[in-house]
Amino acid sequence: AGQDATFIYIAEFAFKDQTTMWFSIHTARYRGFTFDIAVGQVDGVGRDEIILAGGSFGVNEPVPIVYLWHNGTSWIPRSIHTGLRSGTTAPMFVNLDVDSTLELFIGGVGPIGHGSCYALDHVSDTTWTVLWADSSLRNTPLSVNAGMLDGQFIVAGANTVDRGSLDTLYTQLHVYLPLGIKLGIWQRDTASIQNFHFLDIDSDGRTNLVAPLISHLIPSHLAVYEYFGTSGVDGGSDHRLREFDLFQNYPNPFNSQTVMRYSLSTTDCVTMKVYNVLGEKVVTLVNEVKGPGTYTVNFDASHLPSGVYFYRFQTSHYMDTKKLILLR
């Protein structure tokens, strides 16, 4: 009928010969183009549901997230209303707050044409609350994933940007703690990462980023990167020269006072804020324009309880986060 449509097939594995699949269920036709799905329990109970990612939506247009719910005999389309003005890409079920129900971590088209990642928590069959959202991505994420980096559980979204020429593709990987604090952005020049996974592929205790690379300059290939902390991923010539450096605070752990240090290569508007483990802002330490150079920031935490905190440094283009530990 001149409209996009999606048919979802569910296949059973034929255990007798272990070589074939046979289609057991064919859903009713869903109006709209879907290019990715996630399977999990939207309502936290009963059968799994199918989240549909994709569709046609305009800029700054509120778009519900559609999922298919099985009533025992057929699949019924339902909509999740979030209040966000964003579509859906690369959905994933993940337990971000370590309770009895899973949350949705999703890439979206963004509120005003930019990319976004956001996390949703279940309220009812058709309503979810937004745990946190980041609309600073430069394009729609093609993939999202979760895993362990540097001993911490994280979620991440990868987006590819084409700046008008086939020879200027690059990919940004935005990495977050479960409650939305961004650890940093890693950038891979001249290639697009269509999908990625976190695993220790060489069993050396460090997490690897495994991703297929698509490029117009070199043959497409599978790349393996090794993670060395929040300051970046070791990728040789793939590692983008940074416009700033954020150093670990000293001392760390500390009793009541500690010092952060950062450097800039260009003049930029910078902010440095401290957050607790719930993602709540504790204090703003820096919020002004700074020129090239190295700076120190004193942080007096004598009024705060012991625990783990994070300080986030951000310029107009980049962001980095490090962990500090307050011990009494």
Side-chain angles (χ1 to χ4, degrees):
Q3 295 177 328
D4 292 330
T6 296
F7 296 88
I8 296 178
Y9 296 88
I10 300 176
E12 295 281 357
F13 186 66
F15 288 99
K16 291 183 179 180
D17 56 25
Q18 298 185 357
T19 58
T20 60
M21 305 284 286
W22 58 275
F23 293 116
S24 60
I25 300 176
H26 173 207
T27 73
R29 175 179 177 270
Y30 169 69
R31 179 178 297 177
F33 176 64
T34 298
F35 52 84
D36 198 4
I37 65 171
V39 178
Q41 291 190 355
V42 170
D43 53 7
V45 296
R47 298 181 176 91
D48 287 343
E49 288 81 33
I50 301 173
I51 296 286
L52 304 176
S56 300
F57 23 74
V59 174
N60 207 27
E61 175 186 345
V63 179
I65 299 168
V66 177
Y67 71 97
L68 299 179
W69 170 75
H70 200 270
N71 63 3
T73 58
S74 60
W75 292 92
I76 309 297
R78 285 181 171 176
S79 296
I80 297 173
H81 297 275
T82 65
L84 290 176
R85 296 179 178 270
S86 180
T88 308
T89 64
M92 176 182 63
F93 285 95
V94 62
N95 198 339
L96 298 177
D97 51 7
V98 197
D99 59 8
S100 59
T101 59
L102 299 177
E103 289 76 45
L104 274 171
F105 178 62
I106 294 175
V109 296
I112 51 174
H114 296 288
S116 62
C117 279
Y118 49 93
L120 304 176
D121 201 7
H122 176 262
V123 175
S124 68
D125 289 344
T126 58
T127 304
W128 287 54
T129 184
V130 180
L131 290 178
W132 55 268
D134 178 16
S135 295
S136 66
L137 282 67
R138 297 188 61 184
N139 201 11
T140 301
L142 298 176
S143 180
V144 301
N145 216 320
M148 298 293 293
L149 285 182
D150 212 18
Q152 300 180 98
F153 180 74
I154 60 92
V155 291
N159 65 315
T160 299
V161 180
D162 185 351
R163 294 177 290 186
S165 169
L166 294 179
D167 294 337
T168 56
L169 287 173
Y170 66 92
T171 291
Q172 289 183 340
L173 181 68
H174 298 250
V175 182
Y176 309 87
L177 289 173
L179 293 180
I181 297 176
K182 186 181 289 188
L183 289 178
I185 303 171
W186 171 69
Q187 188 159 304
R188 202 294 185 192
D189 290 325
T190 71
S192 167
I193 293 179
Q194 301 293 319
N195 203 344
F196 68 95
H197 298 275
F198 295 120
L199 67 161
D200 185 5
I201 198 169
D202 50 4
S203 301
D204 66 349
R206 292 194 183 101
T207 301
N208 301 112
L209 169 67
V210 182
L213 301 183
I214 298 176
S215 175
H216 302 284
L217 300 179
I218 57 177
S220 298
H221 60 283
L222 183 69
V224 179
Y225 298 91
E226 192 149 299
Y227 183 76
F228 285 95
T230 57
S231 61
V233 179
D234 181 25
S237 61
D238 296 331
H239 191 68
R240 180 180 174 89
L241 293 177
R242 296 167 63 84
E243 295 184 3
F244 72 87
D245 280 302
L246 177 65
F247 304 95
Q248 186 64 53
N249 66 299
Y250 182 83
N252 192 43
F254 67 103
N255 180 272
S256 60
Q257 295 189 5
T258 188
V259 176
M260 293 86 152
R261 187 165 61 95
Y262 66 91
S263 63
L264 295 171
S265 61
T266 60
T267 299
D268 208 337
C269 180
V270 301
T271 61
M272 182 182 291
K273 301 178 182 180
V274 178
Y275 296 84
N276 60 24
V277 292
L278 299 178
E280 301 167 333
K281 186 183 74 173
V282 174
V283 65
T284 298
L285 299 175
V286 181
N287 184 19
E288 58 184 313
V289 175
K290 294 285 189 179
T294 299
Y295 301 88
T296 59
V297 179
N298 296 315
F299 176 41
D300 184 354
S302 56
H303 63 291
L304 296 175
S306 298
V308 175
Y309 296 85
F310 300 89
Y311 60 102
R312 185 174 69 187
F313 178 85
Q314 185 173 0
T315 69
S316 57
H317 297 95
Y318 297 97
M319 181 188 300
D320 201 353
T321 303
K322 291 189 181 298
K323 178 170 65 176
L324 48 83
I325 302 174
L326 174 61
L327 295 179
R328 299 297 188 192

